[in-house]
Amino acid sequence: MSEPAVADTRRLNSKPQDLTDAYGPPSNFLEIDVYDPQIVGVGRNRYTTYEVRMKTNLPIFKLKDSCVRRRYSDFEWLKNELERDSKIVVPPLPGKALKRQLPFRGDEGLFEESFLEERRAGLEQFINRIAGHPLAQNERCLHMFLQEESIDRNYIPGKVRH
Amino acid sequence: MSFFGFGQSADIDIVLNDAETRKKAEHKSEDGRKDKYFLFFDGETVSGKLNVTLKYPGKRLEHNGIKIEFIGQIELYYDRGNHHEFVSLVKDLARPGELTQSQTYDFEFTHVEKPYESYTGQNVKLRYFLRATVSRRLSDISKELDIVVHTLSTYPELNSSIKMEVGIEDCLHIEFEYNKSKYHLKDVIVGKIYFLLVRIKIKHMEIDIIKRETTGTGPNVYHENDTVAKYEIMDGAPVRGESIPIRLFLAGYEITPTMRDINKKFSVRYYLNLVLIDEEERRYFKQQEITLWRKGDIVRKSMSHQAISAAQRFEGSSNPEKSQSKNAEDDS
């Protein structure tokens, strides 16, 4: 009988790992914080902006450290752009809270503290999920949202090349 | 069966000659139950006795003939009416007449060809069975005895490893390697994953074995995928330069040999699916087909002579001359 009695389970040869690879910083660092809600404007035309700060070492992002202010409708714009142009399933945004915009409420409505905190957390989760997606990282709208001072709604949609 | 008074009837029973010595194999039925059946190999003779026992001794049993058939057939679940018989042998045991007492008939199907392995799947079934029939004017008396057939193979001459580099540009590059492309059912998949670039946040990595059953032809092709195994090989985030080993023992899983285009009716193929899952539950995967085959058992003294010759035909020898001369010795 020429067949082996035991299955061949020897290890395959591996390249030995470089110490700098083993103990170096990870090359997948990406953190986005959404915080510091500020109310802008007066009277009926008030709205809230949030600070969106990104820290990363991914080469696809031009700036390794960026800080911009964005409002809820900016997040909605980003979601729509990605749903149209990229092939990804875009995660949901926190709710629009239309009821809170109606008058004669007992509380602060859109500017109620607990609501702002809930919305802030939802927006933070949303943007972190999107920014980590390799296909979303190719879209110009995401880079403009995260790293440019203001969003140019008349921009030309497209992919990022580097 | 007669509706008027006491008609004569009979119980029929098929008993194999080597029922004491023949091995049985477990086979899952359509409803998921596991039963044991007599195990046969290609070329083996199927012989036995058919016992016809009259229900009411003394009364005559009129019949239009007694026969026994050996059938190998493929049944597609969506087309139950049509059985595709690829083996159909019949032995007439008695001409039309009458039985005055219980009777036993001998039968032998010599060196029957059994080209395919028994298979019960999600949309198709391939089975072998003996069917004895006592034909009568109003209704036949019949009995079936299912058997299980295994197809054996030898170690393939060519069994290259699977080695590939895949990835998403600038996000993830891996090189994976599996030691073989053809594995027997009790084999071990030995391999490794080497990370060349990791720019996504990986949470864990697993290997799945996927069985794909394909039925139908042309525009009516239908694939049914079933994940037969899921085996986590890494928990946590890897970095560039890291190598993760794979050691997956196949014996514990419910797998069959790869079946390609059986009688042009169906196929059963297996794939290894390497899946990486990141912190947002996104899945990155790479599927590779592997070939599974059944290895013959090591010859033991207690096996029947027939099983020994069947196993010896397929033992690990990949030298064709050597196995031919062995056969000649057995047959003498």
Side-chain angles (χ1 to χ4, degrees):
Chain A
M1 281 189 273
S2 58
E3 75 195 59
V6 175
D8 185 359
T9 58
R10 290 170 302 175
R11 288 180 182 229
L12 299 176
N13 293 326
S14 288
K15 296 177 214 151
Q17 190 180 25
D18 201 338
L19 279 181
T20 51
D21 285 341
Y23 294 103
S27 33
N28 59 2
F29 182 70
L30 172 69
E31 258 175 36
I32 304 176
D33 291 311
V34 175
Y35 62 102
D36 188 25
Q38 297 289 348
I39 301 170
V40 173
V42 285
R44 286 274 182 79
N45 302 321
R46 286 181 300 166
Y47 60 92
T48 313
T49 61
Y50 304 83
E51 183 148 319
V52 178
R53 184 167 71 204
M54 179 171 98
K55 292 204 181 108
T56 184
N57 66 357
L58 296 178
I60 196 161
F61 291 108
K62 279 219 199 76
L63 300 174
K64 300 307 163 208
D65 220 311
S66 67
C67 199
V68 293
R69 287 213 80 98
R70 295 283 178 255
R71 59 184 288 189
Y72 183 85
S73 54
D74 292 333
F75 284 84
E76 273 186 316
W77 169 87
L78 177 63
K79 180 170 196 282
N80 290 333
E81 293 296 297
L82 288 173
E83 273 173 348
R84 188 194 63 221
D85 289 337
S86 81
K87 295 196 189 81
I88 71 180
V89 174
V90 184
L93 276 173
K96 262 191 88 82
L98 289 167
K99 275 215 222 131
R100 286 186 175 262
Q101 294 176 42
L102 297 172
F104 310 121
R105 285 181 64 99
D107 58 14
E108 301 276 299
L110 266 185
F111 307 104
E112 164 92 38
E113 260 193 60
S114 60
F115 167 72
L116 285 183
E117 175 48 36
E118 212 180 276
R119 186 173 260 201
R120 184 209 67 75
L123 292 175
E124 191 173 82
Q125 191 184 64
F126 170 84
I127 193 64
N128 272 292
R129 275 221 216 151
I130 298 245
H133 199 304
L135 289 180
Q137 284 166 7
N138 286 336
E139 298 293 329
R140 196 107 62 70
C141 54
L142 179 71
H143 292 261
M144 186 160 71
F145 178 94
L146 285 171
Q147 306 205 310
E148 282 181 39
E149 175 95 27
S150 54
I151 294 176
D152 175 13
R153 306 245 168 162
N154 297 320
Y155 84 118
I156 302 162
K159 308 274 182 248
V160 165
R161 309 165 124 266
H162 67 277
Chain B
M1 272 190 299
S2 174
F3 291 111
F4 305 103
F6 297 97
Q8 177 60 290
S9 185
D11 287 322
I12 58 177
D13 194 30
I14 306 170
V15 180
L16 296 177
N17 283 341
D18 50 13
E20 300 288 307
T21 49
R22 184 165 286 279
K23 255 180 92 166
K24 284 190 159 186
E26 253 186 30
H27 193 79
K28 208 159 71 149
S29 62
E30 230 179 292
D31 51 16
R33 258 195 2 238
K34 275 193 158 174
D35 284 321
K36 287 193 156 198
Y37 302 91
F38 286 110
L39 177 62
F40 281 85
F41 299 97
D42 188 14
E44 283 195 295
T45 292
V46 184
S47 66
K49 297 189 192 323
L50 176 68
N51 299 324
V52 182
T53 315
L54 297 178
K55 269 218 175 99
Y56 308 106
K59 287 200 95 166
R60 286 192 308 232
L61 177 75
E62 281 180 23
H63 66 85
N64 282 338
I66 303 180
K67 67 177 179 191
I68 187 160
E69 298 168 276
F70 180 84
I71 300 187
Q73 74 180 24
I74 297 172
E75 189 184 305
L76 292 158
Y77 296 171
Y78 60 77
D79 189 22
R80 296 267 191 184
N82 284 327
H83 293 165
H84 305 274
E85 291 180 3
F86 55 89
V87 174
S88 178
L89 304 170
V90 67
K91 293 268 189 245
D92 286 315
L93 300 176
R95 282 202 302 267
E98 59 186 33
L99 287 177
T100 47
Q101 58 186 30
S102 300
Q103 194 98 305
T104 294
Y105 301 92
D106 288 304
F107 66 87
E108 179 176 300
F109 294 100
T110 324
H111 298 315
V112 185
E113 227 184 76
K114 304 175 206 74
Y116 311 120
E117 174 149 328
S118 297
Y119 175 73
T120 301
Q122 275 128 318
N123 297 297
V124 62
K125 182 155 74 164
L126 188 154
R127 61 187 266 246
Y128 295 84
F129 58 98
L130 286 161
R131 181 168 60 208
T133 312
V134 177
S135 303
R136 294 198 301 175
R137 197 166 43 90
L138 282 174
S139 64
D140 296 341
I141 307 170
S142 84
K143 188 88 184 279
E144 285 183 4
L145 176 69
D146 270 65
I147 61 159
V148 155
V149 171
H150 283 173
T151 51
L152 301 176
S153 301
T154 30
Y155 279 96
E157 272 174 35
L158 222 62
N159 198 351
S160 49
S161 65
I162 299 173
K163 188 165 171 164
M164 239 183 242
E165 193 186 306
V166 292
I168 302 169
E169 205 177 308
D170 297 323
C171 281
L172 174 70
H173 280 179
I174 58 169
E175 188 187 83
F176 69 87
E177 183 176 345
Y178 306 129
N179 62 333
K180 301 186 227 188
S181 39
K182 300 174 188 155
Y183 292 94
H184 63 79
L185 300 183
K186 308 239 189 302
D187 216 330
V188 192
I189 300 176
V190 175
K192 73 178 203 294
I193 312 292
Y194 181 75
F195 288 92
L196 295 156
L197 180 72
V198 189
R199 291 208 184 117
I200 53 172
K201 298 187 193 193
I202 295 175
K203 198 164 62 156
H204 73 263
M205 179 164 64
E206 66 185 40
I207 286 210
D208 300 344
I209 301 179
I210 297 179
K211 172 174 118 172
R212 173 180 281 196
E213 183 189 279
T214 303
T215 47
T217 49
N220 300 323
V221 169
Y222 180 69
H223 301 293
E224 176 113 29
N225 290 341
D226 182 31
T227 302
V228 168
K230 269 191 190 214
Y231 188 70
E232 188 178 276
I233 55 174
M234 178 186 82
D235 185 22
V239 290
R240 188 181 59 190
E242 233 177 306
S243 195
I244 305 297
I246 299 166
R247 190 159 294 196
L248 179 53
F249 289 80
L250 293 175
Y253 301 110
E254 274 183 31
I255 47 180
T256 68
T258 294
M259 301 180 195
R260 290 205 172 87
D261 208 25
I262 298 300
N263 206 231
K264 302 205 198 314
K265 295 272 175 291
F266 71 94
S267 296
V268 181
R269 301 169 93 126
Y270 289 88
Y271 302 84
L272 284 183
N273 200 20
L274 180 70
V275 187
L276 292 104
I277 295 137
D278 75 8
E279 285 184 4
E280 300 295 347
E281 304 295 326
R282 284 181 285 257
R283 298 162 66 90
Y284 307 78
F285 61 90
K286 177 71 188 148
Q287 225 175 66
Q288 269 313 114
E289 182 171 3
I290 52 169
T291 302
L292 296 181
W293 55 279
R294 189 182 288 280
K295 188 158 75 98
D297 280 338
I298 299 168
V299 173
R300 284 187 291 269
K301 286 222 178 83
S302 56
M303 286 164 88
S304 73
H305 176 72
Q306 284 176 335
I308 289 174
S309 18
Q312 279 181 337
R313 252 180 260 144
F314 297 104
E315 263 183 2
S317 164
S318 53
N319 184 342
E321 280 181 41
K322 189 175 168 202
S323 50
Q324 269 177 17
S325 62
K326 255 193 160 178
N327 268 346
E329 281 168 28
D330 290 335
D331 289 343
S332 59

